[in-house]
Amino acid sequence: MKRIQAKDAFLLGSLNEKIKHIYACGEDGCEAVAQRYADAIDCFASLYGEEREVFVFSAPGRTEVGGNHTDHQRGHVLAAAVNLDVIAVVSPNSDYKIRVKSQGYPEDQVDLTDLSVHEEEKNTSQALLRGIANRFVEMGYPVAGFDAYTTSQVLSGSGLSSSAAFEVLIGTAINTLFCGGKESAMKIAQVGQYAENVYFGKPSGLMDQAASSIGGFVAINFANQEHPQAQQVAFDLNSCGYALCIIDTHASHADLTPDYAAIPAEMREVAAYFGKEVLSEVPETQFYAHIPELRKAVGDRPILRTMHFYQDDRRAQEEALALRMKDFEKFKQLVRASGESSFMYLQNIYSAEHWNQQAVSVTLGLISHFAQSLADKDAMAWRVHGGGFAGTVQVFVPQNHAAAFVQAMNAWLGDGSCHLLRIRPVGGIQVAG
């Protein structure tokens, strides 16, 4: 549709029902969302022309709910999309170029006649655009040029995976514009992972992209690397009187790359002892039967991290089942157990090399202190969120205590540290056009 039609559809309320569904919000939340889209349409017009046919897309950030560092061992994960997203206003062009202007950043351009890996582009969004386009071309689709303006609520470094949301956003747009919408949400996620691994230069797993692309609570089994199995888990967090909080610990990721890389490396070292690539291929009973020899061969920390893998891989499946059975008390117990396992066995709460910088540990301790002040001391559940060592912490808190909790955490850690979120029921989606 034309720009002015798209803008009117948002501002006149034609898309309110769709907005309420996508963002899990009420009527009172529609106006701000609609205005954000209208503003993005205006920004697109000022950059690329007012008479263009436009399409509007959205892709959410994600939160890891269960399965801490299990995905790269082809295990099980429970994740969820959240109501913070990246949106794009997109229009095809005839230049055979991709142009993307993201709010606050210079415009990225990719010439579609050259889709090879550019080493100088590593760690840039331009690399992601080139990689995503290349993968769709390899799949046989006639990807042509387009112009896009994007704006994000998924702040970089928030632990909600802004890069995966961007990848899913672009993949969803290309799938709509040039593939007839034929590709599945999981395939779009895999395209994003390919671009991140090969073009961007980050050896990430698939969990972030899959959660963003599919939406809702998502139980994922990564056993089949080419065809992971993903299933939405129907559960309304709001209906049971709980809110999801993500807390920014304000810790720096600088100098932590060796700590992150060591976790999958040590798990694979244990797997290699048994002639396997990843731990999901090694029976748990076989692992425990060889503990004495393993300790001599690989040392103790890889052993502890392997213990965590088996336990948290099982917990991720049990958490999904608890939500399906509407057993939120069981779910909270499993979340707390996952957090304890990450601290004790996985050891991704702080870096041993930077032992005097323990922002995540302090944050977990403060949450525990707050929970002890409640009449029901087991009302809350919390754990490290994602990769660990720095970044964010995840908390499930009763709605009647949410305001006091946010106030307390912000007082301890700084204003804006604690974010109240909603679980978004849909992933990457065409909103209008």
Side-chain angles (χ1 to χ4, degrees):
M1 63 176 63
K2 291 290 187 180
R3 174 193 67 87
I4 193 65
Q5 294 173 310
K7 183 177 177 180
D8 284 348
F10 284 105
L11 293 182
L12 298 179
S14 303
L15 294 169
N16 277 8
E17 290 305 313
K18 193 169 191 178
I19 288 172
K20 285 190 284 187
H21 176 62
I22 292 172
Y23 292 93
C25 66
E27 192 72 34
D28 56 342
C30 290
E31 183 177 351
V33 174
Q35 188 62 57
R36 177 174 171 237
Y37 278 104
D39 291 344
I41 291 169
D42 283 343
C43 288
F44 174 90
S46 68
L47 290 165
Y48 300 115
E50 296 189 355
E51 300 305 318
R52 302 281 293 272
E53 294 281 340
V54 298
F55 300 80
V56 183
F57 300 93
S58 164
R62 69 94 187 101
T63 182
E64 170 202 285
V65 179
N68 196 212
H69 281 279
T70 54
D71 58 328
H72 50 68
Q73 298 302 300
R74 299 184 204 158
H76 295 81
V77 169
L78 180 65
V82 298
N83 59 307
L84 300 183
D85 67 342
V86 189
I87 65 173
V89 181
V90 183
S91 182
N93 65 40
S94 56
D95 300 337
Y96 213 61
K97 291 182 179 179
I98 296 174
R99 300 184 187 89
V100 177
K101 175 67 172 74
S102 296
Q103 183 182 30
Y105 297 92
E107 181 187 69
D108 290 309
Q109 286 196 26
V110 169
D111 187 335
L112 291 169
T113 62
D114 178 12
L115 293 179
S116 62
V117 175
H118 288 215
E119 289 299 322
E120 73 278 6
E121 288 180 357
K122 290 288 179 72
N123 298 303
T124 69
S125 54
Q126 191 172 8
L128 295 175
L129 293 171
R130 198 180 302 273
I132 292 168
N134 180 67
R135 194 58 158 177
F136 275 107
V137 169
E138 289 180 343
M139 290 158 58
Y141 291 110
V143 179
F146 62 88
D147 301 317
Y149 175 81
T150 80
T151 179
S152 177
Q153 296 173 326
V154 190
L155 301 177
S156 179
S158 66
L160 300 174
S161 198
S162 57
S163 59
F166 180 79
E167 293 157 20
V168 169
L169 183 76
I170 299 301
T172 302
I174 291 178
N175 186 43
T176 299
L177 297 178
F178 307 113
C179 312
K182 294 177 183 177
E183 293 302 332
S184 67
M186 181 58 80
K187 177 56 71 174
I188 291 170
Q190 290 175 307
V191 169
Q193 183 200 22
Y194 164 82
E196 191 162 304
N197 291 173
V198 178
Y199 282 72
F200 189 85
K202 181 181 178 182
S204 64
L206 184 60
M207 178 191 70
D208 295 352
Q209 294 87 351
S212 176
S213 192
I214 295 168
F217 282 101
V218 189
I220 311 171
N221 180 358
F222 290 106
N224 187 326
Q225 197 169 14
E226 295 301 316
H227 302 285
Q229 299 299 308
Q231 185 177 16
Q232 277 195 329
V233 178
F235 185 80
D236 183 0
L237 186 63
N238 186 62
S239 69
C240 65
Y242 270 77
L244 168 65
C245 291
I246 297 294
I247 302 174
D248 184 354
T249 66
H250 303 292
S252 172
H253 290 82
D255 301 323
L256 292 176
T257 298
D259 293 288
Y260 290 120
I263 293 177
E266 290 178 10
M267 289 183 177
R268 287 175 183 268
E269 190 177 5
V270 174
Y273 180 88
F274 297 99
K276 302 297 183 181
E277 183 182 355
V278 292
L279 289 177
S280 61
E281 299 173 333
V282 180
E284 186 176 4
T285 53
Q286 188 177 10
F287 161 72
Y288 278 103
H290 290 80
I291 292 293
E293 309 97 287
L294 272 171
R295 293 184 70 187
K296 294 176 183 177
V298 302
D300 285 344
R301 192 171 70 175
I303 300 294
L304 292 167
R305 286 176 164 168
T306 299
M307 290 177 178
H308 166 84
F309 166 77
Y310 288 120
Q311 294 172 17
D312 228 41
D313 184 64
R314 198 159 41 243
R315 266 190 293 267
Q317 300 170 71
E318 293 171 351
E319 285 171 346
L321 178 60
L323 292 182
R324 290 191 182 101
M325 300 298 292
K326 306 295 188 289
D327 189 349
F328 199 67
E329 289 304 313
K330 177 66 173 178
F331 171 79
K332 288 191 298 176
Q333 293 171 14
L334 292 164
V335 169
R336 287 192 291 267
S338 175
E340 291 167 1
S341 180
S342 292
F343 215 142
M344 293 173 61
Y345 302 117
L346 185 61
Q347 299 180 33
N348 69 330
I349 306 302
Y350 65 92
S351 168
E353 184 175 350
H354 305 284
W355 56 268
N356 60 333
Q357 300 172 24
Q358 297 196 38
V360 175
S361 307
V362 170
T363 302
L364 293 169
L366 292 170
I367 297 167
S368 177
H369 176 73
F370 181 90
Q372 293 303 308
S373 70
L374 303 180
D376 180 3
K377 293 179 174 52
D378 293 327
M380 294 170 54
W382 58 95
R383 63 194 283 277
V384 64
H385 181 248
F389 299 111
T392 55
V393 169
Q394 178 187 77
V395 190
F396 293 91
V397 58
Q399 290 176 356
N400 60 329
H401 295 299
F405 178 71
V406 171
Q407 183 179 18
M409 297 310 299
N410 285 341
W412 281 320
L413 301 176
D415 288 342
S417 298
C418 190
H419 304 277
L420 281 173
L421 304 179
R422 294 185 296 275
I423 302 300
R424 164 170 157 156
V426 295
I429 189 174
Q430 179 181 347
V431 182

